[in-house]
Amino acid sequence: MAESSSDESETTFQLYKDRKEWKDVVPVPQDDGEQPIVAIDYTEQFKDVFDYFRAVLQSGEKSERALELTKDAAALNPANYTVWQYRREILKALNKDLNEEMDFIEKIIVYNQPKNYQVWHHRKVIVEWLQEASKEKYLTETVLAKDAKNYHAWQHRQWIIKTFNLYEGELEYIDSLISDDIRNNSAWNQRYFVVMGTTGFTEEVLDREIDYTLSSIKVVTENESAWNYLRGVLLHDKCGLSRNKKVTDFCQDLYNSGNRSPFLLALIVDMCSEQVSQGNKDPLYNLEMAKTLCKELAEKYDTVRAKYWEYIAETVDKKSNKEDSQVDAEQ
Amino acid sequence: MIQKIRIDAVPNSAVGFLSLCQNPTGGFGGGPQQQSHLAPTYASVCALCTVGLPEALSTVDRKMMYRFLVSLRSREGAFMMHEGGEVDVRGCYCAVVAAKVLHIGTPELFKGTADWIGSCQTYEGGLSGYPGLEAHGGYTYCGVAALVLLQRTDAIDLERLSHWLVQRQMSVEGGFQGRTNKLVDGCYSFWIGCLFQLIDPILPRNALQEYILFLAQSPGGGFRDKPGVPPDYYHTCYVLSGLSACQHGGRGARNTSIVGPFSNLLVVIIRRYAKFLLIIAPQSPIEPKINICLHAFRKAEEYFSALDGLHSRIVEEQ
């Protein structure tokens, strides 16, 4: 956010109040009132630049020199949204070359402020004005190469893909991210986004995605991202969570091999819960299994969530009693 | 870098300063002579509410605030953060809180908002900042708190949300992460911690308190994200709010639950850190939807609903 400039730029920076070409402008100091609260101790340079920015904002000047001024102001506080908004007004008023602006904002995003709302929004607006999205995937990839979960980068990338229909190649990109880090939840989320925006979860796609996810789970059985994605996919299965044979077989095999990943157990519990809610007396996915697993989770495999698992066991029990009493009533 | 604060002068200074941040066109900016923005608007309204004096509460120009909020609406009912600014679920939350505290909400203002927030629920069960993005603790708090205030929690699947929520607690550290497979951070003690209070009474109180007291506290004062990172006001605010949530509990809690000696109860801790804090933090349970003292919120509710005549005039004039 607020920043003090480096020694080098302090010595070469000429204060606006000393610039001949700004003599006609009266700087406007920040009005903190009579009893400032937690007044920030701004540097002289910061005060100077913003005193002139306030003056230009008040007078509504939209000139080349005002544009340069917004550059200095943004460098001192890149989170000052008023500066960026006014800069956009000047760009429009002067009909500036927006490609230059694209270069300018790209450098700030990539080298300086990849986690700042204002700079990404500025980029988005310029792209909208230019209706030119050819550099955006590369930009976001550059940022994601340094931080594969940068939320702003993903947001920009999703907006570009959706707005300009650039889904092609995205699944391959996601694959590369997941091979770098199988636990990259942002990449898994992006997978869901791509499928929803293209084919949707048709039967064929559902099957393909289940295969993909189960292969991934085999590699790391305690990867929450893959298990969450599996559940996400199964949301689209007409048969629900507990009747996809590939998935139920996989879970059974994994369990029988001795695996006690809390995510495996949790999924089986939910399968039981679903069967119980539907009033089915499944030999495997039933109340007993649910209660056994909840107890194991609470006492051994997921103790931090002990109270939650006790609550879930109670909930499934209640569902079972409700079903039983409904059946009794019907008979 | 920051001047010493005289605690007794804080309420008047705060009101004075914040009135300079208010714009004639409605809303508050981040500082004097800045454009209005929903985040400082939310913070200003909450701060004025916390001060609680009639001078503070009456500072807000409610009529212009309503116009400001309307100007930021998208067709679907989402809100941009400022004129020409970005749209995400924070906007909905800030707008809903401001409207609720100031008693200026109308059906027209929030038409479609609940459903738009609902479209932010992801396959993981949590909410994203914008439809399609990853479920995230901060954005989930914003979306869910807004829905609770709008009385529209039917717009999301609470069971799937609960499942995602409980998974956010780290089994080793006890604190919360903001997203699946990411690191713990003290500020999620509030964003995630308060979600438990909002939708589910089962808050894992002790493990979180331990994280807060042993790991999120900074030896020199204040609170931080995690060991190795310096403390700052943001983390101090939200970790303390999370601690309050743990100690005083949620809807289902019948007692306070304190890790460590009784002197750890939030009242005493606040006094020790008062030098470091911007304004005196809650000395009582917080209202989890807004993160201000319950008693301050109730006082503001009384004050503004007594001005009901203005509320109907605002609606008629639109």
Side-chain angles (χ1 to χ4, degrees):
Chain A
M1 273 179 57
E3 96 132 69
S4 53
S5 39
S6 69
D7 283 335
E8 197 188 293
S9 55
E10 285 230 37
T11 50
T12 56
F13 182 84
Q14 188 189 25
L15 296 174
Y16 277 79
K17 68 178 202 242
D18 297 330
R19 299 186 195 190
K20 270 204 312 270
E21 64 275 22
W22 280 92
K23 274 277 166 283
D24 58 306
V25 173
V26 178
V28 176
Q30 181 166 295
D31 181 10
D32 279 338
E34 286 166 7
Q35 282 180 294
I37 182 168
V38 207
I40 296 172
D41 189 15
Y42 300 110
T43 61
E44 194 189 6
Q45 182 186 2
F46 192 100
K47 265 193 281 225
D48 176 70
V49 168
F50 277 93
D51 285 353
Y52 278 83
F53 175 72
R54 274 182 284 271
V56 147
L57 197 63
Q58 274 181 23
S59 69
E61 181 181 329
K62 295 193 175 116
S63 60
E64 283 294 341
R65 68 174 183 178
L67 190 66
E68 266 306 295
L69 174 59
T70 60
K71 192 185 241 189
D72 284 340
L76 286 165
N77 184 2
N80 190 314
Y81 53 89
T82 306
V83 169
W84 287 108
Q85 182 60 19
Y86 196 67
R87 186 176 173 86
R88 285 191 284 276
E89 291 182 29
I90 300 174
L91 289 169
K92 268 262 134 135
L94 298 181
N95 201 21
K96 294 295 292 183
D97 179 354
L98 296 174
N99 289 301
E100 273 184 33
E101 191 68 6
M102 288 279 273
D103 287 338
F104 166 65
I105 196 67
E106 182 168 319
K107 290 192 175 68
I108 298 183
I109 290 172
V110 173
Y111 298 112
N112 208 356
Q113 299 276 324
K115 287 197 179 184
N116 165 316
Y117 283 95
Q118 287 69 39
V119 298
W120 282 101
H121 181 65
H122 193 70
R123 177 83 180 189
K124 179 177 182 222
V125 174
I126 309 298
V127 167
E128 271 175 328
W129 287 350
L130 281 171
Q131 281 296 299
E132 168 51 66
S134 59
K135 300 193 182 112
E136 303 316 291
K137 276 195 171 184
Y138 182 71
L139 167 64
T140 53
E141 280 160 34
T142 306
V143 173
L144 290 170
K146 297 188 198 184
D147 173 3
K149 302 180 186 184
N150 181 318
Y151 208 85
H152 300 278
W154 283 113
Q155 183 157 3
H156 191 73
R157 196 174 175 91
Q158 283 198 356
W159 173 73
I160 290 294
I161 288 175
K162 204 162 178 184
T163 308
F164 297 93
N165 196 19
L166 295 171
Y167 288 95
E168 199 180 315
E170 191 65 0
L171 282 180
E172 287 78 10
Y173 175 62
I174 292 165
D175 276 342
S176 72
L177 290 176
I178 291 181
S179 23
D180 283 345
D181 176 7
I182 205 172
R183 293 173 182 84
N184 183 340
N185 199 62
S186 308
W188 284 97
N189 181 80
Q190 187 75 346
R191 210 176 163 90
Y192 190 88
F193 165 79
V194 170
V195 173
M196 289 299 277
T198 51
T199 54
F201 284 94
T202 59
E203 254 186 65
E204 198 186 320
V205 170
L206 200 82
D207 200 49
R208 179 193 80 199
E209 292 303 299
I210 286 174
D211 285 342
Y212 182 90
T213 312
L214 295 181
S215 311
S216 182
I217 292 175
K218 276 197 196 121
V219 176
V220 178
T221 61
E222 299 216 12
N223 177 12
E224 191 186 341
S225 294
W227 288 99
N228 285 356
Y229 187 76
L230 181 65
R231 284 166 174 272
V233 166
L234 289 170
L235 285 174
H236 299 272
D237 190 333
K238 309 190 280 301
C239 304
L241 202 65
S242 52
R243 281 225 248 244
N244 186 301
K245 192 158 189 312
K246 246 186 208 170
V247 175
T248 51
D249 283 351
F250 177 87
C251 289
Q252 274 174 47
D253 290 345
L254 196 56
Y255 187 86
N256 293 336
S257 75
N259 187 294
R260 294 294 179 268
S261 158
F263 308 116
L264 167 67
L265 304 189
L267 182 58
I268 299 176
V269 167
D270 281 351
M271 288 174 176
C272 297
S273 178
E274 192 180 74
Q275 288 292 311
V276 163
S277 301
Q278 288 169 4
N280 301 325
K281 297 289 180 194
D282 192 280
L284 203 56
Y285 300 103
N286 52 39
L287 177 63
E288 272 321 298
M289 179 64 145
K291 283 164 89 165
T292 305
L293 291 181
C294 282
K295 190 160 187 281
E296 286 183 6
L297 282 160
E299 292 175 2
K300 204 163 167 194
Y301 300 113
D302 198 22
T303 54
V304 76
R305 271 166 279 279
K307 286 214 155 54
Y308 175 72
W309 294 120
E310 285 160 18
Y311 168 74
I312 292 294
E314 276 171 31
T315 307
V316 182
D317 204 353
K318 277 193 195 127
K319 279 187 195 176
S320 170
N321 291 338
K322 193 169 151 209
E323 280 301 312
D324 283 346
S325 50
Q326 268 180 357
V327 168
D328 287 342
E330 282 160 23
Q331 281 175 346
Chain B
M1 183 184 153
I2 295 172
Q3 68 183 137
K4 276 193 176 164
I5 310 159
R6 272 186 49 224
I7 296 298
D8 54 309
V10 164
N12 287 331
S13 316
V15 175
F17 177 73
L18 290 175
S19 54
L20 292 169
C21 297
Q22 188 169 213
N23 285 310
T25 46
F28 291 76
Q33 298 131 305
Q34 289 182 37
Q35 191 191 1
S36 293
H37 184 296
L38 278 176
T41 295
Y42 158 79
S44 298
V45 168
C46 288
L48 290 168
C49 196
T50 299
V51 168
L53 304 165
E55 307 87 84
L57 298 174
S58 61
T59 294
V60 184
D61 182 344
R62 292 160 74 227
K63 189 163 114 185
M64 293 317 292
M65 176 67 78
Y66 186 84
R67 293 211 187 140
F68 170 61
L69 296 178
V70 169
S71 74
L72 299 177
R73 260 189 67 92
S74 76
R75 239 177 328 152
E76 306 111 330
F79 286 79
M80 57 182 122
M81 296 301 291
H82 62 93
E83 187 192 319
E86 69 276 16
V87 173
D88 60 54
V89 81
R90 293 173 300 153
C92 297
Y93 172 67
C94 293
V96 169
V97 169
K100 180 79 181 178
V101 171
L102 299 172
H103 204 63
I104 57 174
T106 61
E108 297 73 29
L109 182 58
F110 295 119
K111 180 162 184 253
T113 303
D115 293 328
W116 188 85
I117 297 174
S119 72
C120 290
Q121 184 167 31
T122 81
Y123 67 89
E124 290 195 273
L127 274 59
S128 58
Y130 193 88
L133 291 168
E134 205 182 344
H136 180 295
Y139 291 124
T140 301
Y141 170 82
C142 288
V144 174
L147 288 176
V148 172
L149 285 165
L150 290 170
Q151 297 178 304
R152 285 291 318 274
T153 49
D154 61 286
I156 49 175
D157 182 329
L158 290 172
E159 212 178 298
R160 291 201 299 112
L161 173 63
S162 293
H163 179 89
W164 176 84
L165 199 58
V166 297
Q167 290 299 134
R168 300 289 59 78
Q169 187 163 30
M170 310 295 278
S171 47
V172 172
E173 301 94 315
F176 292 116
Q177 65 188 177
R179 299 183 251 169
T180 305
N181 279 328
K182 287 210 82 180
L183 300 177
V184 72
D185 182 331
C187 70
Y188 292 113
S189 310
F190 175 75
W191 303 120
I192 300 283
C194 271
L195 276 169
F196 280 90
Q197 287 195 286
L198 290 176
I199 64 160
D200 193 302
I202 305 169
L203 168 67
R205 299 156 82 181
N206 290 350
L208 179 58
Q209 281 190 64
E210 284 170 12
Y211 177 78
I212 289 171
L213 295 171
F214 296 129
L215 296 169
Q217 269 198 104
S218 191
F223 290 87
R224 60 199 175 182
D225 161 355
K226 57 172 73 62
V229 179
D232 57 54
Y233 282 120
Y234 164 81
H235 285 94
T236 299
C237 169
Y238 287 106
V239 170
L240 277 171
S241 299
L243 183 58
S244 172
C246 288
Q247 289 180 339
H248 297 283
R251 273 177 311 159
R254 264 163 270 147
N255 54 351
T256 48
S257 166
I258 311 162
V259 165
F262 184 77
S263 56
N264 273 357
L265 186 60
L266 209 63
V267 170
V268 178
I269 288 181
I270 299 309
R271 290 201 185 116
R272 214 183 292 145
Y273 289 117
K275 279 186 292 216
F276 189 75
L277 289 171
L278 204 59
I279 52 175
I280 295 179
Q283 291 189 14
S284 66
I286 55 164
E287 163 47 72
K289 298 185 286 294
I290 299 175
N291 198 21
I292 57 177
C293 295
L294 269 171
H295 69 259
F297 176 58
R298 285 190 191 127
K299 205 168 164 186
E301 264 192 321
E302 276 167 31
Y303 180 88
F304 290 118
S305 53
L307 302 174
D308 222 33
L310 178 61
H311 181 248
S312 1
R313 281 211 309 278
I314 288 173
V315 174
E316 277 161 28
E317 279 167 23
Q318 300 313 311

